[in-house]
Amino acid sequence: MTTHGFTLTAEGPFDFADSLRFVEDWPATSALPSDGRTLRFAYCAEADWRPIGVSVTAAPGGVSVTTTRAAGPAIRGEVARVFSLDVDGTGFAKLGEADPVLGDLQRRRPGLRPVCFWSPWEAACWAVIVQRSSMLIAARIKQRIAERYGARVVVDGQERTAFPPPVSLLDAGGLGLPAQKEEWVRGLARAALDGLLTTEHLRSLPPEEALAELRALPGVGPFSAGLILIRGAGAPDAFPGDEPRLFAILREVYGLPEDATPSAYRKIAESWRPYRSWASFLFRSAAYGVMDGNG
């Protein structure tokens, strides 16, 4: 099989080994086997919703990537987004100079950047699947959906299954989900085909507008909206307005009172601009080893 190669270079600190360790433990991608050096996955590219296989290894200052079909600027941008390499991170370390709590975390994980879902569409489906479910069960259901409706792609001689494109789930039934969730997934498929669940669209909006637009989608509440924008579209500077798990972490490390209002957390996050998403990711990954199943 013909493959196509390119490199992505990080602006600012980056450690692919940290990203790979995160993926290995992340419930949403835990089905991916790893040899500790290479990340191989398949997904449906936003540009045409066709499947593509991707193999990623460390390279000086970034990553080396091979793909199973020609990778133009759009696909290169998608792979960069997965590892937050589409963002200039040179200013992130400076935030820790003004915020010692964040600075301590940065010194412990200097090269860890947010690792994203392969697409906002896939992030949205995960947000619905995992609602009121255990991470393990949700991961199994997501994998079964991929195996039934997705495409199989051979990457480095190994088969990977891409989560299905929106059109494949427009009228799909038997997803192994409650009827309400299956209806939500079909609604998200329509939104994705309308262009509402794409990186380009979501990141073209101010974060607050993007979050409000996402909350209007079927089955998407405030927490899920933040997941889709931050971990799906890879928006670097968004802060969820209501996220109990993150708030609990910040309450502990910053010594906030139990009855602290959301505005108190937003005030702390203001000092993290323009990397509010990145800082939140570090706090959550440090507290849980990996992010909890919802994102």
Side-chain angles (χ1 to χ4, degrees), residues 181-203:
K181 285 190 176 183
E182 293 200 358
E183 182 57 37
W184 286 343
V185 168
R186 289 190 286 270
L188 292 174
R190 289 189 288 271
L193 292 173
D194 287 341
L196 301 180
L197 278 175
T198 64
T199 300
E200 180 180 9
H201 173 68
L202 292 172
R203 286 175 61 169

Side-chain angles (χ1 to χ4, degrees), residues 14-24 34 36-38 57-59 62-63 83 109 111-112 115:
F14 171 71
D15 187 343
F16 175 69
D18 261 348
S19 299
L20 185 55
R21 282 191 290 271
F22 180 88
V23 171
E24 289 171 343
S34 170
R37 297 184 302 275
T38 306
T57 57
V63 294
F83 300 99
R109 305 294 293 276
L112 179 62
V115 182

Side-chain angles (χ1 to χ4, degrees), residues 5 12 19 67 80 89 93 99 151 167-168 171 185 201 205 219 253 255-256 271 276 282:
S19 299
T67 56
D99 183 336
V167 68
S168 296
D171 301 308
V185 168
H201 173 68
L205 303 173
V253 297
L256 298 177
S271 67
R276 288 177 294 170
L282 278 189

Side-chain angles (χ1 to χ4, degrees), residues 31-286:
L32 288 176
S34 170
D35 58 11
R37 297 184 302 275
T38 306
L39 176 62
R40 301 176 181 90
F41 61 94
Y43 76 103
C44 290
E46 288 184 323
D48 54 15
W49 297 117
R50 291 170 52 211
I52 182 171
V54 182
S55 176
V56 186
T57 57
V63 294
S64 177
V65 184
T66 58
T67 56
T68 57
R69 59 186 177 97
I75 288 176
R76 291 180 185 223
E78 290 174 3
V79 177
R81 172 191 50 78
V82 169
F83 300 99
S84 294
L85 292 173
D86 58 340
V87 176
D88 185 342
T90 53
F92 184 49
K94 295 179 181 178
L95 300 182
E97 298 173 7
D99 183 336
V101 179
L102 175 60
D104 179 64
L105 200 55
Q106 289 175 322
R107 283 187 290 274
R108 285 188 276 148
R109 305 294 293 276
L112 179 62
R113 297 185 180 204
V115 182
C116 299
F117 285 83
W118 313 149
S119 69
W121 150 248
E122 190 166 341
C125 289
W126 171 258
V128 165
I129 293 168
V130 81
Q131 284 183 37
R132 304 182 187 279
S133 174
S134 76
M135 293 178 285
L136 181 60
I137 292 174
R140 288 174 177 170
I141 292 173
K142 179 173 178 285
Q143 185 62 22
R144 284 200 297 267
I145 293 172
E147 290 171 353
R148 180 174 180 181
Y149 292 101
R152 288 173 170 78
V153 183
V154 176
V155 186
D156 292 345
Q158 302 179 26
E159 188 174 86
R160 294 289 184 267
T161 304
F163 191 78
V167 68
S168 296
L169 298 186
L170 267 178
D171 301 308
L175 300 180
L177 295 167
Q180 178 66 82
K181 285 190 176 183
E182 293 200 358
E183 182 57 37
W184 286 343
V185 168
R186 289 190 286 270
L188 292 174
R190 289 189 288 271
L193 292 173
D194 287 341
L196 301 180
L197 278 175
T198 64
T199 300
E200 180 180 9
H201 173 68
L202 292 172
R203 286 175 61 169
S204 71
L205 303 173
E208 293 72 19
E209 289 184 24
L211 289 169
E213 191 172 284
L214 288 167
R215 286 195 296 269
L217 297 179
V220 177
F223 186 90
S224 297
L227 169 69
I228 297 166
L229 180 62
I230 295 170
R231 299 291 306 291
D237 190 37
F239 186 73
D242 182 14
E243 189 175 332
R245 293 176 182 85
L246 176 60
F247 287 3
I249 296 166
L250 298 181
R251 189 164 56 245
E252 178 178 353
V253 297
Y254 285 95
L256 298 177
E258 283 288 333
D259 60 352
T261 62
S263 62
Y265 303 102
R266 287 195 294 269
K267 183 177 180 180
I268 290 173
E270 281 298 306
S271 67
W272 303 339
R273 288 181 181 269
Y275 300 100
R276 288 177 294 170
S277 302
W278 287 31
S280 299
F281 176 87
L282 278 189
F283 279 110
R284 292 192 63 175
S285 61

